[in-house]
């Protein structure tokens, strides 16, 4: 089998790349380890930056998002029992869209298949070869499907296979510089069939730990609690989850959280991770394959979309004009944005969580920072500008 761009992974990065390449007249095939139903049910991110919304429009996969997505004009920061609104629209003139990552994935898979694009689901033992600069033969993605070995020959490989994929670990250790930070807590997340009672997200810094109030639709609420990174879900029956959410989120205004049947419950560890460069010969890493952020800044999927935007434009430049400049500049361009998002995600994380080892001094400094951000227009604008997403330079 032959194609121009071989893509490993059908997450938001791989799927969007395939769609954008197709619209630019460049062929691709996606090799994915899981089945379609699994990808379409995997509950993850929910907040789209305005630039991500525009990319989905450019890719022509926006129809359902425009109908069902929820436009958000601000967020609330809660601390010391009170909510404080950060009004994105008046501060920076932009909004975000709340629309589940799995809905984006469903729309992208449908669009791909409708246009006759190829996604190989349930591929086993996926491996990559000949992507090195020194290789004299074409890059290959090999995999097994239904017991039969296959080889996909391509001009370039896009490693969009997430944090646990095979592309990044295929590289020799000496080829990558890794930057990492782990946090001493995780998030216990639930999805509940309950009507949201606040129109916007609430990020709460509470003495019992951080809590986040989010949503997916007019009937589904998404909620998170700061917990131990290896928290045992067996210790969290539904009643305990709700009781903790009420304590951390409800405030002195009398605002009340609405309960409903819990549809899903999980624990996520929190880490910051960057591996660079993002290009090695004819292999280009994109999305979680190259970087992870703690979810507090809602940046993970948005960064994956930003990488793919740069990669698609660079590939177009190569196929149309025989010009390598975009591909040569890919890693630096992505990493400049990645580090800004890393900084923001780290900052939001240390601003909103309770750190057990924090001294009373550090605790007061954190509360003063929250006070500053919510009482200064410029302080609030800096948060808003980054939360809605920094502009692209081209
Ligand atoms: P993905 O989505 O992990 O997709 C990678 C795909 O590659 C496949 N794969 C392989 N395929 C073939 N061969 C192999 N050997 C393979 N190994 C893996 C996988 O099956 C998968 O289909 O990476 P991608 O495309 O880079 O997308 C990144 C995003 O998924 C991620 O950054 C976000 O979900 C992070 N995130 C959030 N991001 C936001 O922008 N806004 C948010 O509000 C937000 N909230 C979150 C989040 C992530 C969370 N969790 C669970 C980690 C909230 C949570 C709780
Ligand atoms: C979500 O709705 O899943 C969500 C929202 C905001 C975040 C993280 C996750 O910062």
């Amino acid at each position: 089998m032959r194609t121009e761009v071989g893509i490993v992974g059908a997450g938001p990065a791989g799927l969007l790349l395939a769609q954008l390449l197709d619209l630019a007249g460049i062929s691709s095939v996606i090799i994915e380890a899981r089945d379609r139903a699994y990808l379409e049910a995997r509950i993850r991110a929910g907040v789209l930056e305005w630039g991500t919304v525009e990319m989905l429009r450019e890719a022509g996969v926006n129809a359902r998002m425009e109908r069902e997505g929820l436009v958000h004009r601000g967020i609330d920061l809660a601390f010391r029992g009170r909510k404080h609104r950060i009004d994105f629209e008046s501060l920076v003139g932009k909004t975000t869209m709340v629309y589940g990552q799995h809905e984006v994935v469903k729309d992208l898979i449908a669009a791909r298949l409708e246009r006759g694009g190829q996604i190989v689901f349930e591929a086993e033992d996926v491996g990559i070869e000949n992507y090195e600069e020194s290789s004299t033969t074409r890059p290959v993605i090999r995999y097994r499907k239904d017991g039969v070995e296959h080889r996909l020959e391509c001009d370039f490989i896009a490693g969009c296979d997430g944090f646990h994929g095979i592309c990044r670990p295929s590289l020799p250790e000496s080829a990558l510089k890794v930057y990492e930070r782990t946090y001493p807590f995780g998030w216990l997340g639930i999805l509940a069939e309950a009507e949201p009672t606040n129109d916007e997200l609430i990020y709460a810094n509470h003495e019992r730990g951080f809590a986040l109030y989010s949503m997916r639709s007019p009937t589904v609420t998404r909620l998170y609690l700061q917990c131990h990174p290896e928290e045992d879900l067996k210790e969290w029956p539904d009643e305990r989850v709700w009781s903790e959410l009420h304590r951390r989120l409800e405030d002195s205004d009398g605002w009340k959280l609405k309960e409903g049947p819990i549809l899903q419950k999980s624990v996520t560890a929190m880490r910051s991770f960057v591996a660079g460069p993002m290009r090695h010969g004819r292999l280009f890493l994109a999305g979680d394959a190259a970087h992870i952020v703690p979810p507090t800044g809602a940046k993970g999927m948005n960064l994956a979309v930003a990488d793919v935007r740069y990669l698609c434009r660079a590939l177009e430049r190569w196929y149309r004009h025989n010009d390598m400049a975009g591909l040569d500049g890919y890693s630096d361009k992505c990493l400049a944005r990645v580090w800004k998002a890393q900084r923001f995600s780290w900052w939001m994380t240390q601003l909103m969580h309770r750190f057990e080892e924090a001294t009373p001094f550090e605790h007061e400094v954190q509360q003063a920072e929250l006070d500053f951000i919510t009482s200064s227009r410029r302080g609030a604008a800096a948060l808003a500008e980054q939360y809605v997403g920094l502009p692209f330079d081209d």
Side-chain angles (χ1 to χ4, degrees):
M1 205 168 31
R2 275 220 45 183
T3 191
E4 288 172 312
V5 182
I7 301 176
V8 187
L15 287 165
L16 180 62
L17 179 63
Q19 177 73 2
L20 292 171
L21 289 174
D22 186 12
L23 296 175
I26 301 166
S27 66
S28 70
V29 172
I30 306 180
I31 310 298
E32 164 61 48
R34 303 290 195 148
D35 63 41
R36 181 176 178 178
Y38 177 89
L39 302 183
E40 293 188 343
R42 186 166 51 185
I43 305 294
R44 296 180 85 180
V47 178
L48 311 184
E49 295 177 353
W50 66 271
T52 298
V53 169
E54 289 195 344
M55 282 310 292
L56 295 174
R57 287 184 184 137
E58 185 178 318
V61 287
N62 55 319
R64 201 161 65 91
M65 172 186 74
E66 315 276 8
R67 277 199 314 274
E68 298 175 17
L70 310 166
V71 174
H72 279 216
R73 297 181 167 78
I75 54 171
D76 281 324
L77 296 187
F79 60 102
R80 289 188 178 136
R82 280 195 54 212
K83 289 205 287 282
H84 305 259
R85 182 154 190 269
I86 308 286
D87 184 331
F88 300 155
E89 229 176 8
S90 82
L91 289 163
V92 292
K94 297 272 192 326
T95 57
T96 58
M97 175 84 84
V98 170
Y99 188 63
Q101 174 171 327
H102 67 294
E103 305 294 354
V104 174
V105 163
K106 274 187 215 163
D107 296 345
L108 282 165
I109 292 178
R112 217 59 295 283
L113 299 180
E114 201 172 291
R115 288 177 66 92
Q118 204 183 343
I119 308 175
V120 178
F121 293 107
E122 296 179 88
E124 293 173 276
D125 274 336
V126 179
I128 54 173
E129 294 168 8
N130 309 338
Y131 56 82
E132 302 87 353
E133 200 78 70
S134 57
S135 175
T136 50
T137 48
R138 295 157 58 74
V140 168
I141 303 175
R142 52 176 172 70
Y143 62 95
R144 197 171 57 246
K145 168 84 182 167
D146 300 328
V148 182
E149 303 289 337
H150 296 267
R151 289 170 68 82
L152 170 67
E153 252 190 47
C154 43
D155 301 334
F156 300 101
I157 297 175
C160 303
D161 50 348
F163 187 66
H164 300 288
I166 52 95
C167 289
R168 189 186 68 254
S170 301
L171 293 164
E173 233 171 74
S174 59
L176 287 173
K177 185 155 171 64
V178 171
Y179 306 80
E180 194 164 13
R181 169 183 286 248
T182 53
Y183 298 86
F185 41 74
W187 279 13
L188 190 162
I190 64 159
L191 195 66
E193 211 175 305
E195 176 195 329
T197 46
N198 199 56
D199 289 344
E200 293 174 349
L201 274 60
I202 306 169
Y203 289 79
N205 176 314
H206 189 272
E207 61 192 24
R208 299 179 63 85
F210 170 75
L212 171 61
Y213 177 91
S214 180
M215 63 204 70
R216 283 293 177 276
S217 73
T219 56
V220 175
T221 312
R222 176 75 166 149
L223 298 141
Y224 298 95
L225 288 168
Q226 175 181 348
C227 64
H228 190 271
E230 279 123 38
E231 192 77 54
D232 183 359
L233 277 179
K234 285 205 271 317
E235 311 240 331
W236 286 86
D238 295 1
E239 312 75 66
R240 180 172 174 209
V241 174
W242 285 117
S243 135
E244 200 58 35
L245 285 164
H246 285 298
R247 289 173 85 161
R248 297 191 198 179
L249 284 165
E250 289 174 357
D251 55 28
S252 52
D253 303 347
W255 176 76
K256 291 271 176 278
L257 173 70
K258 193 163 178 180
E259 293 187 20
I262 295 184
L263 307 170
Q264 196 244 17
K265 204 188 278 173
S266 62
V267 172
T268 315
M270 307 261 286
R271 65 152 65 82
S272 304
F273 175 93
V274 180
M278 289 169 60
R279 177 216 179 162
H280 299 266
R282 282 171 285 173
L283 168 66
F284 294 83
L285 299 176
D288 277 18
H291 41 72
I292 298 279
V293 286
T296 332
K299 288 285 166 259
M301 176 172 50
N302 293 298
L303 276 182
V305 168
D307 289 351
V308 155
R309 169 194 169 105
Y310 290 140
L311 185 53
C312 179
R313 284 168 172 49
L315 287 165
E316 255 186 278
R317 202 159 152 189
W318 164 251
Y319 281 107
R320 288 221 179 117
H321 309 291
N322 236 6
D323 176 359
M324 278 298 277
L327 292 170
D328 288 342
Y330 169 75
S331 179
D332 286 349
K333 205 164 181 154
C334 289
L335 288 172
R337 189 178 182 88
V338 165
W339 275 112
K340 285 182 206 133
Q342 284 289 359
R343 195 208 68 82
F344 177 68
S345 305
W346 159 82
W347 175 74
M348 281 286 282
T349 301
Q350 56 99 28
L351 181 69
M352 297 312 303
H353 290 76
R354 288 298 167 116
F355 289 76
E356 258 174 38
E357 71 281 10
T359 61
F361 177 85
E362 286 162 339
H363 174 69
E364 290 306 319
V365 167
Q366 185 195 50
Q367 299 295 304
E369 188 166 14
L370 280 164
D371 210 358
F372 167 68
I373 288 155
T374 51
S375 58
S376 149
R377 192 171 167 84
R378 289 189 180 88
L383 189 155
E385 184 179 3
Q386 297 174 88
Y387 192 94
V388 301
L390 296 174
F392 291 101
D393 47 13
D394 61 24

